[in-house]
Amino acid sequence: MEYANHLKEYAPAMSEAQVAEEMDRIRKAAVRNHTPEVYKLCYSAVDLTTLSCTDSVESVTEFAGKAVKFYRQFPHLPNVASICIYPPFVETVGVVVDGTDMRITSVAGGFPSSQTFLEVKVLEVAMSVRNGAAEMGYEEIDIVLNVGKMLEGHYDEVANEVEVIRAEMSPEVVLKVIIESGALKTPDLIRKASLLSMFAGADFVKTSTGKIDVSATPEAAVVMCQAIRDYYRKTGRKVGFKPAGGVRSAEDAALYYTIVEEILGKEWLTPELFRIGASSAANNLLTAIEGREVKFF
């Protein structure tokens, strides 16, 4: 399908100066959201992540098991939204979290570089879905946009890859597309990548893999949320937003919460439309909520 022409239906991206001005405004507004209630919502939106070369069945089982123990040790708090892992551990996590509300997020499709054959990407996604819990409606897949082709301007190829991968999963599987905003750099490319992902069927657009030098930035989040807003106004379809990589403190989480609140509105501030990819942020959010140091994970 031709997607590049649809970009012309949307206004161009803000300039870097305009984005910086908008961020100044939002940073000031974010102070009001340094509250336990906001931190609780942010914690409930966390995709608790382990994506290490040292991951094993044993370590991932222990990791997911801590999240399950959270229900007993913090019964007064909402738990994280999902456990995010590499494809071979989908079934492992499924066994551990069975019977809970937590979803399973698997990176796939040549994560983190997306530099492999499309057929390999499709197969990896299909295997991850098949080995997971898609039939029970709580599996999610995070893939990476083809950044190299995006930088070369091959926009139809970029979007068609997403479309082909989306076709490999049932509608109840949530597809998050990582645009790797730190590699795209400019507001123009970040906006185009976000729109192309949504055109092709993304349920979420996500900032980063966390595997390159520049991960999530508030400036990229502003551009992406504006793209989500404009896409919704034109189509009526709500797409979620996920910052990931470099979100460490409770204040970081509250800033992204405020960006979503200011640009998309409070209706986006649920785990169905707002996620935070994090590991260390989970303990820091718990510490801010409880008012004492918490090292649970």
Side-chain angles (χ1 to χ4, degrees):
M1 185 181 293
E2 292 186 2
Y3 288 104
N5 285 335
H6 291 300
L7 292 171
K8 300 173 184 176
E9 301 169 11
Y10 291 80
M14 296 171 72
S15 68
E16 290 185 5
Q18 289 172 318
V19 173
E21 184 178 347
E22 178 72 346
M23 266 314 308
D24 285 342
R25 181 185 71 81
I26 293 174
R27 284 186 192 279
K28 293 172 184 174
V31 176
R32 70 171 183 260
N33 287 325
H34 294 173
T35 68
E37 288 307 311
V38 167
Y39 297 149
K40 286 178 188 178
L41 187 284
C42 289
Y43 184 82
S44 74
V46 165
D47 286 344
L48 192 65
T49 302
T50 179
L51 296 171
S52 169
C53 66
T54 60
D55 287 343
S56 65
V57 169
E58 182 178 347
S59 70
V60 170
T61 298
E62 182 180 358
F63 183 76
K66 285 184 179 179
V68 173
K69 290 176 184 176
F70 181 88
Y71 288 104
R72 296 193 302 273
Q73 294 194 221
F74 296 88
H76 57 293
L77 296 179
N79 207 346
V80 296
S82 82
I83 305 293
C84 180
I85 33 72
Y86 278 115
F89 304 111
V90 168
E91 191 170 2
T92 300
V93 173
V95 171
V96 178
V97 306
D98 187 37
T100 75
D101 295 330
M102 277 184 290
R103 299 170 71 93
I104 303 166
T105 296
S106 173
V107 297
F111 180 95
S113 69
S114 194
Q115 296 287 11
T116 189
F117 301 104
L118 177 57
E119 293 84 354
V120 174
K121 296 178 186 180
V122 169
L123 178 60
E124 186 177 46
V125 168
M127 289 179 67
S128 182
V129 171
R130 193 176 304 122
N131 291 338
E135 71 278 1
M136 291 178 277
Y138 63 90
E139 188 174 2
E140 305 181 351
I141 299 291
D142 288 16
I143 66 168
V144 184
L145 202 72
N146 193 317
V147 178
K149 288 184 179 179
M150 189 72 206
L151 291 170
E152 287 185 337
H154 300 310
Y155 300 147
D156 283 337
E157 289 184 50
V158 167
N160 275 302
E161 278 201 8
V162 176
E163 180 188 32
V164 169
I165 292 170
R166 169 80 263 186
E168 283 301 312
M169 53 189 87
S170 55
E172 62 265 22
V173 178
V174 172
L175 175 63
K176 308 191 199 89
V177 177
I178 305 164
I179 67 165
E180 202 67 288
S181 56
L184 298 177
K185 298 181 180 179
T186 67
D188 177 61
L189 281 177
I190 290 169
R191 180 173 172 84
K192 284 176 177 173
S194 300
L195 288 169
L196 289 166
S197 299
M198 292 185 280
F199 295 163
D203 298 303
F204 273 76
V205 286
K206 175 179 170 182
T207 58
S208 322
T209 61
K211 301 297 186 182
I212 67 170
D213 291 342
V214 180
S215 292
T217 66
E219 290 76 15
V222 165
V223 176
M224 294 171 71
C225 286
Q226 288 173 340
I228 292 169
R229 176 197 63 197
D230 296 346
Y231 177 80
Y232 171 66
R233 288 175 177 174
K234 191 172 287 288
T235 67
R237 186 169 81 90
K238 290 181 177 178
V239 173
F241 170 68
K242 177 180 174 179
V247 186
R248 295 185 176 88
S249 69
E251 291 77 15
D252 289 341
L255 180 58
Y256 286 107
Y257 174 104
T258 307
I259 291 169
V260 172
E261 180 184 38
E262 289 288 312
I263 297 173
L264 295 169
K266 285 187 177 294
E267 61 190 296
W268 253 264
L269 290 168
T270 72
E272 286 69 43
L273 291 168
F274 176 53
R275 295 291 180 84
I276 299 171
S279 51
S280 61
N283 281 334
N284 293 331
L285 282 165
L286 288 173
T287 294
I289 293 164
E290 295 288 279
R292 58 182 176 86
E293 187 174 16
V294 178
K295 292 184 178 180
F296 185 76
F297 292 105

